[in-house]
Amino acid sequence: MRKPTFGITGRKNLSAICVSVILGLCIGAGCHWYASSRPDMTRVGKVDSLNTKACLVRYVHPDSALLFARKAARMARNYADGRSEALNHQMFICFLRMDFGGCMELYNRIQQSTSNQIELLVSEVNMMIICQRAAQNRLFFDYYNRALERIQRIREEYDEVKGRNKERLDYAMTEFSLTTATNYINLMQEQKAEKELSAIDTDGYIRRNKALLIYFYYLNGLICQNRLDLGKERVVDAFDYFYLAYSYSERMGNIYFSSMLEQVLSEMFAQPKNYDIIKTYRKVELDYLYNSLVTEELGEGGIPGIPAPFYGISPKGIVQCRTMWKSVA
């Protein structure tokens, strides 16, 4: 008589069912993990929008920029690149507030929380800006060398940079050149500064970022100003750069750069020889500056006979006079 096999067959079927259930749970968990690890595209768009706003208004409304950046960091969740960008914006606002301790804390967070080489480069450029402003020359070159190594690594690892990464890389490279040129100017090495500024594509990204364009004109003006002994052409060139920068900053309501330019222009006009040259060759522009800074008011029509858009003038952009214009006018 054959022995019954029901018990053995039942156990085999039960084992198969258990294996199937476990396999199904593993597949389901894997799919859930994969879906949750990918950033939601709607969320990505919102985070990118907040980061863009933070970048656009950081000089004009730094408090608003900080709110945008913090909201972007909270919303980013598993969108690591967006969170790192938001932390970099917060780092820059801390620099504007001269909160260097906060800058270092955010720098360390960025370095430890992302593998995005472009955002890591931005954080190192931010540290260059901070060290340059704090007159920490040795530390400046430490971060300068780190940034150079990072740039080389990006060139080796990234065959092609597209989309937002391309925009962020263009920003980092432009800011890197501007900051390096600033340091060379402070060291009275104008030729090296000129070489660094010449690396910037003046028809590229800098045309879309007006704050960096203002800074570019400002630095070129400083280089010309440091060479005023070369003749009246240098005086006029320096004034033209400063005037362009001031016109843009006024139109944007950028008090940060407007104040810097008021100071440098007043220092230029403190020299009677310089003032006489500008009065001879740039009288129209000089009259506009005098009207906007001393009388603190312009007519709605701007400068008579001169199209306001040509000069980048905002007739309503009034700033408080803190310079020596009355004494030289």
Side-chain angles (χ1 to χ4, degrees), residues 201-270:
D201 180 8
T202 54
D203 294 321
Y205 171 79
I206 199 168
R207 286 287 168 186
R208 303 192 302 275
N209 190 321
K210 292 297 186 289
L212 296 187
L213 184 62
I214 291 169
Y215 198 30
F216 176 79
Y217 287 144
Y218 171 74
L219 293 179
N220 275 286
L222 289 181
I223 291 173
C224 293
Q225 189 181 45
N226 290 344
R227 296 179 174 179
L228 295 184
D229 58 324
L230 297 181
K232 64 183 179 183
E233 291 81 7
R234 281 293 182 177
V235 177
V236 174
D237 287 345
F239 176 81
D240 286 346
Y241 279 122
F242 290 145
Y243 182 77
L244 276 172
Y246 184 77
S247 298
Y248 272 117
S249 62
E250 278 289 273
R251 182 162 58 180
M252 293 174 60
N254 193 324
I255 298 174
Y256 180 87
F257 283 115
S258 292
S259 301
M260 291 170 57
L261 288 155
E262 287 172 29
Q263 179 179 350
V264 76
L265 284 166
S266 63
E267 290 172 355
M268 173 182 282
F269 296 146

Side-chain angles (χ1 to χ4, degrees), residues 52-242:
T52 298
K53 290 177 182 177
C55 184
L56 288 174
V57 304
R58 61 186 188 175
Y59 281 111
V60 183
H61 302 293
D63 291 341
S64 297
L66 185 59
L67 290 175
F68 289 138
R70 285 176 174 170
K71 187 174 180 179
R74 288 194 303 269
M75 187 178 289
R77 294 186 184 177
N78 53 358
Y79 179 28
D81 291 353
R83 183 174 60 254
S84 300
E85 181 180 345
L87 293 177
N88 268 318
H89 289 313
Q90 292 179 49
M91 187 177 173
F92 192 87
I93 301 302
C94 284
F95 156 71
L96 292 179
R97 292 178 164 184
M98 308 297 278
D99 179 10
F100 298 150
C103 292
M104 180 55 71
E105 181 181 343
L106 287 162
Y107 171 78
N108 290 330
R109 285 179 62 187
I110 295 165
Q111 292 289 316
Q112 295 167 9
S113 65
T114 186
S115 59
N116 185 315
Q117 298 300 309
I118 294 173
E119 290 303 329
L120 290 171
L121 172 61
V122 173
S123 70
E124 282 149 5
V125 172
N126 281 341
M127 288 305 299
M128 287 171 57
I129 297 171
I130 292 160
C131 293
Q132 186 273 319
R133 178 59 60 88
Q136 297 290 331
N137 201 49
R138 185 180 63 80
L139 283 175
F140 172 88
F141 281 104
D142 286 345
Y143 289 107
Y144 170 83
N145 290 325
R146 291 187 197 182
L148 283 179
E149 292 173 3
R150 190 80 61 188
I151 291 168
Q152 183 60 34
R153 184 171 178 178
I154 290 170
R155 287 171 176 166
E156 292 172 355
E157 293 185 1
Y158 290 71
D159 294 331
E160 187 176 7
V161 183
K162 296 181 179 179
R164 193 165 188 86
N165 276 336
K166 176 66 165 62
E167 183 178 348
R168 293 293 289 164
L169 181 58
D170 288 344
Y171 163 77
M173 296 298 293
T174 304
E175 194 76 84
F176 174 81
S177 293
L178 292 171
T179 307
T180 304
T182 302
N183 198 65
Y184 283 137
I185 290 171
N186 291 341
L187 297 175
M188 303 300 290
Q189 298 178 13
E190 282 79 13
Q191 288 186 340
K192 290 184 177 181
E194 278 186 310
K195 182 179 179 181
E196 198 64 46
L197 292 178
S198 68
I200 298 174
D201 180 8
T202 54
D203 294 321
Y205 171 79
I206 199 168
R207 286 287 168 186
R208 303 192 302 275
N209 190 321
K210 292 297 186 289
L212 296 187
L213 184 62
I214 291 169
Y215 198 30
F216 176 79
Y217 287 144
Y218 171 74
L219 293 179
N220 275 286
L222 289 181
I223 291 173
C224 293
Q225 189 181 45
N226 290 344
R227 296 179 174 179
L228 295 184
D229 58 324
L230 297 181
K232 64 183 179 183
E233 291 81 7
R234 281 293 182 177
V235 177
V236 174
D237 287 345
F239 176 81
D240 286 346
Y241 279 122
F242 290 145

Side-chain angles (χ1 to χ4, degrees), residues 5-21:
T5 58
F6 175 77
I8 297 175
T9 303
R11 285 195 295 270
K12 287 182 177 179
N13 290 339
L14 183 61
S15 298
I17 292 171
C18 290
V19 169
S20 298
V21 170

Side-chain angles (χ1 to χ4, degrees), residues 44-57:
V44 168
K46 290 180 179 178
V47 171
D48 287 347
S49 177
L50 287 168
N51 279 325
T52 298
K53 290 177 182 177
C55 184
L56 288 174
V57 304

